[in-house]
Amino acid sequence: MRHSASRAVLFFLCSLSLFISTFASASLEQQRNKFIQAEKLYKANKISQYKKLKTELKDYPLLPYLDYQEINGRLTSSNSVSVSKFIEQYPDLPISDRLNRRWLNHLIKTKKWAAYRKHYAKHPVAHIHYECQNQTALLNGTTKQKKAALYQAKTLWMVGNSQPKACDPLFKAWMATGRPTSKEAIGRFWLSIEQGNIKLAQYLTKKIKNKKLKAQAELFWSIYNNPEKVESTLLKKLPKVHQSKTAQLSYKRWYRQKAITATNSWIKHRDSLVPKEEQLNVSEYMGIRLNRNYHSQAIKLSQRLDPDYQSAELTETRIRNALAKQDWLAVKQGVKHLPAEEAKDPKWQYWAIIADRHLDPQNSHKEEIKALAEDRSFYGFVAAELNNTPFRMNAKSDAISDLQLEELSQLPAAARAGELFKLGRLTEANREWRTALGQMNEEEIQLAGYLARSWGWHLQAIINAAKTERWDHIDLRFPHPHAKLFEMHAEKNNLDLSFPVAIARQESAFLFNAQSRVGARGLMQLMPRTAKQTAKKHKVPYKKISELYNPETNITLGSAYLGDMLKRFDNNPAYAAAAYNAGPHRVKKWLKQRGHLPLDVWIETIPFKETRKYVQNVLAFRVIYDRLEGRQPSLLSEKQVQLLALNQSKRTAL
């Protein structure tokens, strides 16, 4: 009886929690609609209606955003008291910082120097732009304040990088006093050289009037602009403290002009020009580029550039170049010299096995391949294909209750982030989410990914899993929104059902309005030109770029384009994924250069790091999504498995 009563109480509490959660969601949706309406009323200047509606939103998480809209809308007629009041009332809100910056910029623009100084002293902004504005405000103050500003100007000017335009009025006033001196100018010149800011150094050369110091700068340019002179005695005429950096910059420039000549000269002269502890910078620069370009002399020169394998990054490029040449001994040596932690990467474990198998065909390495097949990764899945064993998911999940998520969602910043996400205001939502995470304890941060997932904010759920290193939490890392749309268009374009969704997972992490720095848009990150061409080819209705933010349009066009790439490249998903990411023209070029290589070698030797990782991820994600959907997964077709390095001859095939 007691057990029955306990179960009844538990059932009641769960039901009550679900009812409260459902009621709260409905209430929030009503408030959300009222919030949108209130914003519109304010913009339409219907203030009395706006104020009445605002009183109904006193418990709504985004109420401060209405206050912000009011003060921001009348910023030109506001005063520091009202701005300070908002900042102090909402110190943790990202919009408080935005308002503070806008107000400071307004005060400078309207030349309200005293007001700026007073407000900045109370609400400083940790950015050089606003510090320079503060010094400009001081410059327009008392004689004592002006003197202090001119003194500070030198400190702000004497850096190795260009300062923002906000510093120009201060620097102009400082220069009107006869500054910089030649000594100051040459000092900043060398600071810019140390940071590799060549354009700034060119500008500063004009500021050096002293003949002796001018000659010093001109000697640098003589060597840098004619880098073959770096071998000569000219370098020794520069101050000793600047000789090493001059040699490094000059050799890098020389390499860009004549790679092999510069590399041989560097190997010959580096010990006499640059301290031992600084040499790796240039050796890496040259070696990595030689190997990435698969230069015929790269392996030999790399051995001379870095004989002790000090650079892990250079060692990796040496291994890839050795793979491209199928020099299995060099591959084995390279993996052997990787740092211990990097050598544990499934990628390098795989290539160590393949190299050993080619060097010693009598040793099957079946146990090593079997062990690697336990890993949930591209190379773990390749090993599983070779070993003819099931793909391992090794999945974990946390038991999270609705009540836990409800409690977490009540944190003010989390509540604001959730509402902004649901309103589609992702810039503000991301800022509030970062604020929320900064206020959470470790346990709450672990829950945060599940909260984001419950909202459909899959990108933040995926990021949360990565930042908390929960790599085995497949439920967080691999959501499947728009499943029916993806499957319908996969079938329509003769694609494996998980191929388009794997592309979307890699491209945007299912952020429907994602936009890349180069202009790709939406779930499957289509470039507008590609979308237009694909729409025309497949007779898909498409009029404007904004339609790419519509999931159905994006999935329709993205799947069609992916299908085109698959047909173009012999139904090979690796080539198709590479073409989707880097463009078919590049894949055509890479196939012409290295298409004769085994498929796994070709993938690992893709010149672009981003595309290489992209292809490996997409192929692995296809397997994971097939498993999650209960389908029989395969990484590669039987034909493609035969193209792997281990199956290229009867001697090495398992």
Side-chain angles (χ1 to χ4, degrees):
M1 288 293 289
R2 286 180 183 176
H3 292 301
S4 298
S6 297
R7 282 197 295 270
V9 170
L10 183 61
F11 177 77
F12 172 75
L13 289 173
C14 290
S15 300
L16 181 62
S17 173
L18 181 62
F19 172 77
I20 292 170
S21 177
T22 305
F23 178 79
S25 296
S27 176
L28 268 177
E29 188 172 352
Q30 291 173 355
Q31 288 184 307
R32 196 178 304 133
N33 292 331
K34 287 180 179 180
F35 174 79
I36 295 168
Q37 190 181 350
E39 285 185 319
K40 290 177 180 177
L41 287 170
Y42 184 82
K43 287 176 183 176
N45 204 31
K46 296 179 179 179
I47 304 303
S48 59
Q49 292 173 262
Y50 163 76
K51 286 183 176 179
K52 183 180 178 182
L53 188 58
K54 186 181 175 185
T55 60
E56 299 176 31
L57 293 167
K58 60 182 180 180
D59 296 323
Y60 184 55
L62 297 185
L63 178 64
Y65 280 74
L66 291 179
D67 293 337
Y68 172 79
Q69 184 184 40
E70 290 177 33
I71 195 168
N72 190 51
R74 50 181 167 79
L75 196 65
T76 55
S77 59
S78 291
N79 55 59
S80 286
V81 174
S82 59
V83 172
S84 289
K85 184 180 177 182
F86 182 92
I87 294 168
E88 288 158 12
Q89 186 177 357
Y90 305 114
D92 297 328
L93 265 69
I95 49 173
S96 290
D97 180 62
R98 194 192 321 168
L99 177 64
N100 192 31
R101 291 172 185 242
R102 288 203 66 191
W103 179 243
L104 287 169
N105 288 333
H106 167 71
L107 291 176
I108 279 290
K109 189 177 180 180
T110 54
K111 299 183 179 181
K112 294 178 179 176
W113 313 117
Y116 188 101
R117 293 192 298 268
K118 185 177 179 181
H119 186 85
Y120 186 80
K122 196 173 183 181
H123 303 291
V125 179
H127 192 284
I128 193 67
H129 173 96
Y130 297 94
E131 175 56 25
C132 277
Q133 286 188 166
N134 186 47
Q135 295 303 325
T136 301
L138 287 167
L139 195 65
N140 288 276
T142 64
T143 302
K144 185 178 179 181
Q145 288 171 330
K146 182 176 181 179
K147 186 177 179 181
L150 290 172
Y151 181 82
Q152 187 64 19
K154 178 185 173 182
T155 303
L156 292 169
W157 187 83
M158 191 64 76
V159 292
N161 54 275
S162 296
Q163 296 287 43
K165 287 187 177 181
C167 298
D168 289 353
L170 175 66
F171 292 159
K172 186 177 179 181
W174 181 65
M175 289 176 183
T177 67
R179 312 294 282 277
T181 64
S182 289
K183 188 176 180 181
E184 289 165 341
I186 194 70
R188 192 182 184 196
F189 171 88
W190 285 117
L191 284 173
S192 66
I193 293 301
E194 287 298 321
Q195 292 188 26
N197 290 324
I198 298 300
K199 284 188 177 180
L200 178 58
Q202 289 170 336
Y203 160 78
L204 290 165
T205 303
K206 300 170 188 175
K207 297 287 183 184
I208 305 168
K209 305 302 179 186
N210 179 279
K211 287 185 179 180
K212 186 177 178 181
L213 296 177
K214 185 86 166 180
Q216 195 182 111
E218 287 175 346
L219 181 56
F220 167 84
W221 292 119
S222 177
I223 297 169
Y224 181 78
N225 291 327
N226 304 280
E228 65 277 3
K229 290 183 179 180
V230 74
E231 300 173 336
S232 70
T233 56
L234 281 178
L235 188 69
K236 300 297 181 184
K237 294 181 180 180
L238 287 173
K240 188 172 179 61
V241 69
H242 302 305
Q243 289 175 13
S244 174
K245 192 64 179 182
T246 301
Q248 291 176 54
L249 288 173
S250 299
Y251 265 110
K252 286 180 181 180
R253 191 165 197 264
W254 193 4
Y255 176 89
R256 294 192 293 271
Q257 296 170 351
K258 295 181 179 179
I260 301 303
T261 305
T263 303
N264 280 317
S265 173
W266 168 251
I267 292 168
K268 182 178 179 181
H269 297 287
R270 60 184 168 184
D271 286 340
S272 63
L273 300 176
V274 176
K276 203 81 173 174
E277 63 273 13
E278 296 176 24
Q279 291 177 11
L280 195 58
N281 177 276
V282 178
S283 295
E284 274 187 327
Y285 182 90
M286 293 176 168
I288 287 169
R289 282 158 180 77
L290 285 168
N291 283 292
R292 279 182 183 166
N293 292 323
Y294 299 103
H295 196 284
S296 59
Q297 296 185 48
I299 291 178
K300 182 178 72 174
L301 288 172
S302 294
Q303 183 58 37
R304 296 171 65 200
L305 283 166
D306 187 17
D308 300 323
Y309 294 88
Q310 293 180 58
S311 166
E313 188 178 0
L314 174 51
T315 300
E316 288 192 10
T317 62
R318 290 166 73 171
I319 296 169
R320 289 194 181 92
N321 200 358
L323 282 170
K325 292 177 170 53
Q326 297 187 72
D327 182 343
W328 300 111
L329 182 59
V331 171
K332 182 177 180 177
Q333 284 292 105
V335 175
K336 181 182 175 182
H337 284 93
L338 283 169
E341 279 304 307
E342 290 198 34
K344 292 177 184 176
D345 188 310
K347 166 177 54 191
W348 301 127
Q349 288 183 34
Y350 176 83
W351 288 115
I353 293 168
I354 303 304
D356 276 338
R357 181 85 177 118
H358 278 85
L359 294 169
D360 181 13
Q362 300 303 314
N363 188 343
S364 70
H365 292 278
K366 282 190 175 181
E367 289 304 312
E368 290 94 329
I369 292 172
K370 183 180 178 182
L372 182 57
E374 295 292 317
D375 193 74
R376 187 193 61 252
S377 66
F378 170 72
Y379 279 105
F381 292 163
V382 175
E385 289 277 26
L386 289 168
N387 202 46
N388 198 26
T389 52
F391 300 112
R392 300 294 185 187
M393 292 296 104
N394 308 318
K396 294 178 182 176
S397 63
D398 296 326
I400 307 296
S401 71
D402 290 340
L403 188 59
Q404 285 176 293
L405 296 183
E406 181 64 27
E407 287 177 355
L408 188 62
S409 71
Q410 296 306 308
L411 293 176
R416 293 193 299 269
E419 284 303 299
L420 288 164
F421 171 74
K422 287 162 191 170
L423 287 168
R425 302 177 187 183
L426 291 182
T427 301
E428 290 96 338
N430 283 322
R431 288 172 180 152
E432 289 284 10
W433 185 250
R434 286 194 294 271
T435 299
L437 290 173
Q439 296 169 351
M440 291 179 189
N441 59 38
E442 191 173 329
E443 183 182 348
E444 289 169 334
I445 290 171
Q446 296 279 330
L447 285 171
Y450 288 97
L451 179 61
R453 187 187 69 169
S454 73
W455 293 335
W457 199 356
H458 302 297
L459 174 61
Q460 289 298 350
I462 291 166
I463 291 172
N464 178 267
K467 286 193 172 180
T468 55
E469 298 186 351
R470 288 179 291 172
W471 308 114
D472 295 331
H473 284 61
I474 304 298
D475 54 347
L476 272 184
R477 295 184 60 215
F478 294 96
H480 197 173
H482 316 295
K484 289 183 179 178
L485 269 177
F486 277 115
E487 289 185 15
M488 179 176 74
H489 289 287
E491 288 179 339
K492 185 177 179 180
N493 292 284
N494 297 314
L495 297 164
D496 288 345
L497 294 182
S498 290
F499 204 176
V501 74
I503 291 283
R505 167 61 175 79
Q506 176 65 24
E507 287 281 1
S508 69
F510 304 109
L511 191 63
F512 74 93
N513 63 351
Q515 181 172 333
S516 75
R517 54 185 172 78
V518 295
R521 288 166 165 82
L523 289 171
M524 296 183 72
Q525 286 290 278
L526 284 162
M527 293 296 289
R529 185 180 176 186
T530 302
K532 187 177 180 180
Q533 292 170 343
T534 305
K536 184 178 180 181
K537 179 178 179 180
H538 292 269
K539 297 180 173 57
V540 176
Y542 173 73
K543 293 181 180 179
K544 52 187 178 180
I545 292 173
S546 61
E547 291 179 62
L548 292 177
Y549 297 126
N550 179 297
E552 184 167 5
T553 302
N554 197 282
I555 293 168
T556 301
L557 293 173
S559 299
Y561 181 64
L562 182 60
D564 290 344
M565 294 301 99
L566 193 65
K567 289 174 191 172
R568 179 168 176 174
F569 292 104
D570 194 30
N571 286 315
N572 187 308
Y575 300 157
Y580 195 98
N581 176 255
H585 61 292
R586 289 197 178 95
V587 174
K588 184 180 177 182
K589 176 184 173 184
W590 297 337
L591 285 170
K592 186 177 180 180
Q593 292 171 338
R594 292 181 301 285
H596 63 284
L597 293 173
L599 181 58
D600 45 356
V601 173
W602 186 87
I603 292 170
E604 190 56 50
T605 57
I606 290 173
F608 295 173
K609 182 179 180 180
E610 178 196 326
T611 304
R612 186 189 319 129
K613 188 65 179 172
Y614 181 99
V615 171
Q616 293 171 358
N617 280 352
V618 166
L619 294 181
F621 292 172
R622 288 165 72 233
V623 171
I624 292 169
Y625 276 108
D626 274 338
R627 281 292 303 270
L628 289 174
E629 293 302 313
R631 295 189 286 263
Q632 183 63 37
S634 66
L635 183 73
L636 303 166
S637 68
E638 286 186 23
K639 177 184 174 182
Q640 289 149 9
V641 170
Q642 294 308 309
L643 297 176
L644 298 175
L646 209 59
N647 291 330
Q648 292 298 286
S649 76
K650 291 180 180 179
R651 292 172 63 249
T652 57
L654 293 176

